[in-house]
Amino acid sequence: MAGLAVGGLLFWSTSAADRLALERQTHIVSSLINQNVASIANDQESFTVWDDAVLRLRARPLDLGWLDSNLGIWLHTYYGHDAAYVLDPADRPLYAMAGGVRGRPEDFDRIRAVALPLVAELRAIMRRGDARLPPGDLSPGVVDILIADGHPSIVSVKPFVPDNRALATARGTEFIHISLERLDGGFLAGMRADYRIDGARFSWRANVGPQERALALRSRNGRAVGYFIWTPFAPGTTVFARLAPVLLIALLVVAALVFKLVRRVSSRTRQLHDSKAAAQHLAFHDSLTGLPNRALFDDRLDHALAIYRGTAQHRVALLYLDLDRFKKVNDTLGHPAGDALIREFGRRLQDVIRITDTAARLGGDEFAIIQTEVSSLAETEALCARVIAAASEPFVIEGSQVFVGVSIGVALAGKDGLDSTELTRRADIALYESKSQGRGRHKLFAPSMDEPIRARQAAERDLRAALEADDQFSVCYQPQYSARSGGVVGVEALVRWEHPENGPMPAAAFIPVAEETGLIEPLGEWVMAEACRAARDWPSSTVSINVSPVQLRNPHFANRAIGIIGEAGVDPTRVELEITETALIENAEECARNLRLLRAFGIRIALDDFGTGYSSFKHLREFEVDRVKIDRTFVDKIDMRAGGSAIIRAIIDLAHSTGLQATAEGVETEEQRSFLEAVGCDELQGFFMARPMTADQIARLLGPAAPADVAEEAAPPPRRRRGDAAA
C-alpha cells in the first residue's frame, strides 16, 4: 500500500510536471508571437517617422542606395525582417527587398493581394486623422498575421510621416512602408535555439505526431493561418519511466529530481519575465546611455505638464542640450570614441539632476532635461550652470583628454506655453540662439528669438512659390576684365529675385534659406541653364557660375551639370564653376569625385572667396583648381600709403608659382585697380569696371561695336559704391 501510495504520488507529480511544462512552453510560444507582432511596427517607426525619409521618397530620381541603408536591407541586417516594400501615394511599388537583397518593385505582386487591404485600412485611418495611438507608438499602423508569398508572416503597414509639420501631405496620401517577418524560418530557428522548443515546426494543418502539441496561428479575424507544432518538454514522464523499476529504492532520488525540475521551471519562468522586462526597458531607454529615450521623454513631459496645468504649483522647466565640438571628436578619434563620450556625458547628467527630474537622450549628441517642482528661475539657472560645468571637465577617451562643451536652451511651462510640442519647439529655438552666440552657455527663450524663425519660414514659403511661378528670377552678368589688355575675358552669372510684394531681394537674404532647405539645387540648376544658353551665342569668353556647397556634395551633381551644359550647346571649356574652399573640406571625397568628372568634361574650376577660409594651397593642388578669386574684403583694404596689401601680393605670388590665375573681386577705385595691375593680378571684376548687366547688354558689349548706352554702363561709376549681391 505504501508502495502504491508512493507510486501514485510519483505518477501524479510527474503528470503535473509535464502539464506545467506544456503550459509554460505554450505560453512562451504565444508570447513570442505577440512580441514579434508588437515589435515589427516599433522597428518601422525608427525611420518612418522621419523628415529625411519623407524628403528622400519625394526626390526624383530615388536614391536606391539610401533606401537600402535605411528602409530595406538595413531592416533585414539589424532587425531580421524578411521583406520590405515602399508604396507611393497611389499604392504603386517603388522599392522592394527580400532576404536582405534589393529586388524589383514588381516583386510586390507576390504579396499584393494580402497587403493592399491592410494599406487601404491604414489610409482610411490616416484620412480620418485618428489621434489615438497605442502607448509607445509614434504613428498609426495596421498589422496582421497572414499568408504572404506562401509563408505565414507578420505583415505590418506604416505611413511615412515627418517630424516637421511643414512637410506634411494631405491625409491618406502618404508613402507607405510594408514589412514582413516570416514565421516559418528564422523565427522557428530562434525558438529552438533560444527557448529550447524541441522539434518546433510549422504546418498548414494540425497534424500532430505522437507526443507533439499544436498551437493555432490566428489572424486578427480569428481565422487559423496555420499551426506551430513542437514536442513538449516532458520531464515528469521521462523521470517516471526510468525510475519505475526501482521505485521504492529511488524515492529520495525522485524527490530530488522533482525539486530540481521545479527549480528549473521556476528559473525558466523567471528568465522569461526578465526577458520581457529587458525588452520593455529597451523600448523606452537609450541603449547607449541607459537614459530615457524620446518616447519615454515625451510621456514624462506630458505627465509633468498635465500636473502643472491641474495644480499651477509644480512649475516645469524644459532644457534642450547639444554637445559642442562633438563632430570633431567623431571625425578625429572615430565613432567608438564618440560613443564613449556620449556614455560618459549621460552619466554626468544623472549626477547633476535631482531624483524628481528626467534626463533623456533624444538622439546623436542631443539631450534634454525635464526639471519639475521648480520654485524659482534661479533653480533652473543653477541646474544649467551644473550641466555646463560637468561638460567642461575633460573627458578621458582612449587614453586621451577630450574637451567639448554644451549649449542649453530653456523654455518654462506657462511662460513659454503649456503644450509639449510648443514648449519643445521654443526650447529648441533657445538652444539654437545659445549655439549661435558662442556656445558653452544657456539661453532662456524670448519671443524675439521666434521672429527670425518665422521670417525664415516666410522666406522659404516665398522662395518655393517663386520657383513654381518661374517668372520672378532672372540672371544678370558682371564682366571680368584682363588686367593686362583691359578687354573683357569673361562674365560672372548673378541670380536676381524680384519679389512680387517686397521688390528686389538681396542674394544674401535668400541664398542661405535656399541652401538650408535644399531649394538651392533646382535654383542653381536653373541659373546654370540660363547662363549657358546665354553664353552659347557670345564670343569666346568665359561664363562663371557659382556653385553651392550643397550642390557640390550631391553625388549626382557632376552628371547633372554636364547634362545641362551639353543641352545648352555651349563649349564646356568656356564654363567656369566657382566653388568655396569650405565646400571642398566638408565632404572631400564626394567633392573630389564631382570635380574629376567636371574637369574631364573640360569645365574649369575657380576657388571663390579665397583668403577668407582655410586658404590652403594644398587643397588647390589636390582638387586641381584653375583659378583663385581674391575676396572683396581684401581688395577693399588696399591702402597705397601702407604699400597696398601684403596679403594680396602673397596670394598672387603663390597662385602664379603653382600655375594658377588670380582674379580680384570688388574692385571699386582707381587706386585698387592700379595696385592689382602692378602686382600681377590676371583679371579684375568690380563696379569700377562694370556693373552687372542683362544678357542682351552683355551680347552687345562683347560684339564688334558696343553701343553708347552699353559702353556707358560698362564704364567706371562716377562715385564709389560698395557691395554687390552675388549668388
Side-chain angles (χ1 to χ4, degrees):
M1 291 297 293
L4 290 176
V6 171
L9 178 62
L10 181 59
F11 179 78
W12 175 84
S13 300
T14 54
S15 299
D18 289 348
R19 188 167 54 255
L20 180 62
L22 175 60
E23 291 175 357
R24 182 185 62 81
Q25 287 192 328
T26 303
H27 177 70
I28 289 175
V29 173
S30 179
S31 295
L32 287 174
I33 295 171
N34 293 336
Q35 285 179 7
N36 276 36
V37 169
S39 65
I40 188 171
N42 289 337
D43 297 344
Q44 288 174 279
E45 286 187 343
S46 63
F47 54 83
T48 57
V49 184
W50 189 15
D51 289 346
D52 202 15
V54 174
L55 292 173
R56 293 276 187 166
L57 289 173
R58 292 177 182 175
R60 293 295 180 275
L62 285 173
D63 189 344
L64 294 178
W66 188 91
L67 294 179
D68 286 341
S69 300
N70 293 274
L71 310 183
I73 295 175
W74 177 76
L75 268 177
H76 178 78
T77 304
Y78 192 78
Y79 288 114
H81 294 198
D82 294 294
Y85 304 88
V86 177
L87 307 184
D88 69 7
D91 295 341
R92 295 186 296 261
L94 299 177
Y95 175 85
M97 179 280 292
V101 178
R102 185 202 305 163
R104 301 171 305 162
E106 302 85 71
D107 295 345
F108 177 68
D109 291 339
R110 298 176 182 174
I111 69 161
R112 178 184 295 274
V114 298
L116 284 184
L118 302 184
V119 173
E121 182 179 346
L122 176 61
R123 292 205 183 280
I125 292 172
M126 298 302 291
R127 282 192 293 270
R128 291 195 302 270
D130 292 345
R132 293 169 296 179
L133 297 175
D137 284 8
L138 303 178
S139 64
V142 179
V143 62
D144 204 353
I145 299 176
L146 304 168
I147 299 173
D149 196 18
H151 296 272
S153 305
I154 301 173
V155 183
S156 179
V157 182
K158 280 281 186 178
F160 286 93
V161 295
D163 295 317
N164 186 348
R165 295 178 179 176
L167 296 178
T169 58
R171 292 176 178 173
T173 62
E174 298 82 0
F175 289 85
I176 300 295
H177 188 274
I178 303 173
S179 194
L180 281 78
E181 185 172 352
R182 294 175 179 171
L183 296 175
D184 59 352
F187 178 78
L188 284 175
M191 285 202 302
R192 290 192 291 266
D194 298 335
Y195 296 91
R196 307 284 181 87
I197 308 297
D198 297 331
R201 61 187 176 88
F202 175 82
S203 175
W204 297 111
R205 296 179 178 84
N207 297 330
V208 298
Q211 309 302 321
E212 287 186 328
R213 293 292 183 271
L215 176 67
L217 185 64
R218 299 187 182 278
S219 62
R220 288 185 302 168
N221 60 12
R223 185 174 63 88
V225 174
Y227 298 85
F228 278 128
I229 299 175
W230 77 98
T231 302
F233 175 49
T237 300
T238 303
V239 171
F240 185 84
R242 291 181 179 179
L243 297 182
V246 288
L247 182 59
L248 294 178
I249 301 173
L251 283 177
L252 295 177
V253 177
V254 170
L257 289 175
V258 171
F259 176 73
K260 184 178 180 179
L261 173 63
V262 172
R263 272 185 60 182
R264 185 176 181 183
V265 171
S266 176
S267 175
R268 290 286 181 87
T269 304
R270 189 165 53 252
Q271 290 175 5
L272 180 61
H273 179 271
D274 292 344
S275 176
K276 288 182 177 179
Q280 186 173 10
H281 179 83
L282 288 175
F284 293 102
H285 290 80
D286 173 52
S287 59
L288 186 61
T289 63
L291 295 175
N293 60 14
R294 183 178 289 276
L296 185 54
F297 163 80
D298 289 340
D299 180 71
R300 290 190 178 177
L301 180 59
D302 288 338
H303 181 70
L305 292 177
I307 294 176
Y308 175 72
R309 287 192 293 266
T311 64
Q313 295 177 354
H314 300 281
R315 298 180 62 186
V316 179
L318 176 60
L319 285 66
Y320 259 37
L321 291 68
D322 192 90
L323 289 176
D324 301 330
R325 299 180 294 277
F326 175 73
K327 184 177 184 299
K328 183 178 180 181
V329 176
N330 262 350
D331 293 343
T332 56
L333 299 181
H335 288 283
D339 290 346
L341 192 152
I342 289 292
R343 279 194 296 270
E344 174 60 17
F345 181 70
R347 187 192 64 76
R348 294 185 186 184
L349 274 187
Q350 289 177 309
D351 289 343
V352 300
I353 64 174
R354 301 170 304 178
I355 193 172
T356 56
D357 300 334
T358 297
R361 182 185 179 213
L362 305 183
D365 61 335
E366 298 178 1
F367 294 81
I369 296 175
I370 304 171
Q371 186 185 27
T372 58
E373 301 182 7
V374 180
S375 59
S376 67
L377 181 59
E379 284 189 12
T380 300
E381 294 189 319
L383 175 58
C384 292
R386 292 198 301 272
V387 172
I388 292 172
S392 64
E393 292 293 323
F395 292 80
V396 179
I397 307 295
E398 297 181 354
S400 301
Q401 283 193 338
V402 175
F403 293 88
V404 292
V406 66
S407 297
I408 306 174
V410 182
L412 302 174
K415 182 178 82 69
D416 300 322
L418 292 174
D419 175 75
S420 61
T421 301
E422 186 64 13
L423 202 63
T424 54
R425 187 185 74 85
R426 294 187 173 185
D428 198 32
I429 292 173
L431 172 61
Y432 179 82
E433 186 75 11
S434 175
K435 295 184 77 70
S436 66
Q437 292 192 10
R439 306 172 186 262
R441 64 190 65 197
H442 75 274
K443 282 288 182 182
L444 301 176
F445 175 80
S448 59
M449 296 179 184
D450 212 4
E451 294 174 3
I453 304 296
R454 298 189 185 280
R456 179 193 171 282
Q457 291 174 341
E460 178 184 351
R461 187 168 55 251
D462 291 349
L463 194 57
R464 290 184 185 277
L467 285 170
E468 293 176 1
D470 199 28
D471 62 355
Q472 298 180 23
F473 290 106
S474 62
V475 181
C476 62
Y477 306 86
Q478 187 171 32
Q480 298 166 333
Y481 291 83
S482 169
R484 295 182 181 84
S485 67
V488 178
V489 293
V491 296
E492 179 181 1
L494 307 171
V495 65
R496 294 290 184 263
W497 179 15
E498 185 70 24
H499 193 284
E501 297 178 1
N502 301 330
M505 299 289 291
F510 66 88
I511 292 298
V513 176
E515 290 181 325
E516 291 175 13
T517 58
L519 297 175
I520 192 65
E521 294 192 272
L523 177 59
E525 291 177 7
W526 179 84
V527 171
M528 184 179 295
E530 288 290 310
C532 290
R533 281 194 293 266
R536 177 183 56 202
D537 301 324
W538 295 341
S540 56
S541 59
T542 301
V543 59
S544 298
I545 304 166
N546 289 278
V547 175
S548 165
V550 177
Q551 295 175 272
L552 198 60
R553 289 195 295 266
N554 189 323
H556 305 294
F557 170 70
N559 291 329
R560 291 178 180 175
I562 290 171
I564 291 171
I565 294 170
E567 184 177 350
V570 66
D571 183 355
T573 61
R574 293 176 53 208
V575 178
E576 182 175 80
L577 301 184
E578 296 188 9
I579 62 177
T580 63
E581 195 169 8
T582 303
L584 298 179
I585 295 171
E586 287 179 349
N587 199 341
E589 183 177 346
E590 201 58 63
C591 292
R593 176 182 174 276
N594 276 324
L595 292 181
R596 283 194 300 270
L597 292 174
L598 293 168
R599 290 185 61 82
F601 190 60
I603 299 169
R604 297 194 294 179
I605 305 298
L607 198 60
D608 198 11
D609 299 336
F610 191 78
T612 60
Y614 294 89
S615 304
S616 170
F617 277 81
K618 172 177 176 289
H619 298 134
L620 303 183
R621 292 191 298 270
E622 287 179 352
F623 295 99
E624 300 182 20
V625 174
D626 300 287
R627 173 190 308 278
V628 296
K629 297 193 74 175
I630 303 170
D631 190 68
R632 66 179 63 246
T633 57
F634 293 102
V635 174
D636 189 51
K637 293 177 182 177
I638 293 175
D639 186 354
M640 296 308 296
R641 293 172 297 181
S645 171
I647 294 177
I648 291 179
R649 287 179 187 271
I651 292 174
I652 292 173
D653 290 343
L654 287 172
H656 289 168
S657 68
T658 53
L660 306 179
Q661 292 185 313
T663 299
E665 296 182 296
V667 181
E668 299 183 357
T669 67
E670 174 61 36
E671 180 183 71
Q672 293 169 354
R673 180 170 67 177
S674 299
F675 171 76
L676 292 166
E677 290 177 352
V679 296
C681 188
D682 299 289
E683 295 180 6
L684 307 176
Q685 178 182 345
F687 277 10
F688 188 77
M689 278 69 65
R691 296 184 178 86
M693 307 177 188
T694 65
D696 291 339
Q697 291 171 331
I698 288 291
R700 295 198 299 272
L701 174 65
L702 297 176
D709 61 332
V710 177
E712 181 179 340
E713 292 175 13
R719 58 186 178 89
R720 183 177 182 183
R721 296 180 59 188
R722 298 179 181 271
D724 176 36

